[in-house]
Amino acid sequence: MHGKLRIDQSDGSYESYHGQISNDMVNGKGTLFKFSSFNRKQYQYTGEFKNNKKHGHGQYTENDKFGVSYYGQWKENVYHGYGELCCETCVESSYFGQWKDGQKHGFGKCYFSEYDVPEPYEGGYNTHIYRWMERW
């Protein structure tokens, strides 16, 4: 079944969803849009859902000063599997690689925008921490 949902908060924030629904839950493919009146941020996720959670393949973007976007695999609302994270104003401007439970884990390549790092780090990660010794 295909449907639309909208939840309005008393502070002016809201969420809207357009996509597949089954068993009274968001399941299948769809788009979730959120607006927070607290920090004036907009979030959008387009992709797969399972039991009301981001699960499978999808794309997430934030409309704020950081310009964060993620394209890849999800498991129960967190990055999991292969994914590409980009941030326009972050020190680690982009990361392409493996994730586990929302953390960089396994092989990946990280590009830096600051600190005069001339080339990207390419190698292993263990729960979000660089394995620098593999490079040097």
Side-chain angles (χ1 to χ4, degrees):
M1 181 168 74
H2 213 76
K4 294 181 182 180
L5 302 170
R6 182 172 167 123
I7 301 169
D8 293 303
Q9 306 292 329
S10 61
D11 67 355
S13 299
Y14 66 89
E15 296 181 20
S16 66
Y17 172 79
H18 184 268
Q20 295 175 319
I21 299 171
S22 66
N23 300 326
D24 294 325
M25 298 181 88
V26 174
N27 278 304
K29 294 181 180 179
T31 297
L32 176 67
F33 178 83
K34 293 183 179 185
F35 171 75
S36 171
S37 64
F38 173 73
N39 57 13
R40 312 299 294 171
K41 285 176 101 173
Q42 296 176 11
Y43 312 85
Q44 182 172 316
Y45 171 80
T46 300
E48 298 172 312
F49 293 85
K50 182 178 177 184
N51 299 328
N52 290 336
K53 295 182 178 179
K54 295 182 276 297
H55 193 90
H57 193 266
Q59 181 171 355
Y60 172 83
T61 56
E62 291 181 12
N63 181 8
D64 66 1
K65 64 181 179 181
F66 299 109
V68 174
S69 65
Y70 174 82
Y71 181 79
Q73 296 294 312
W74 294 78
K75 181 181 174 187
E76 298 185 354
N77 277 344
V78 297
Y79 311 150
H80 193 89
Y82 180 82
E84 301 172 1
L85 178 71
C86 297
C87 179
E88 294 174 9
T89 61
C90 301
V91 172
E92 293 181 13
S93 60
S94 58
Y95 171 78
F96 304 88
Q98 296 296 318
W99 297 83
K100 182 179 178 185
D101 300 324
Q103 303 280 325
K104 295 175 189 133
H105 189 86
F107 185 82
K109 192 169 191 174
C110 186
Y111 294 87
F112 300 91
S113 61
E114 296 182 15
Y115 299 116
D116 199 29
V117 179
E119 55 187 67
Y121 168 74
E122 186 172 8
Y125 285 81
N126 186 1
T127 319
H128 207 66
I129 298 170
Y130 306 113
R131 294 184 189 156
W132 287 106
M133 296 307 291
E134 292 177 14
R135 181 174 179 199
W136 305 108

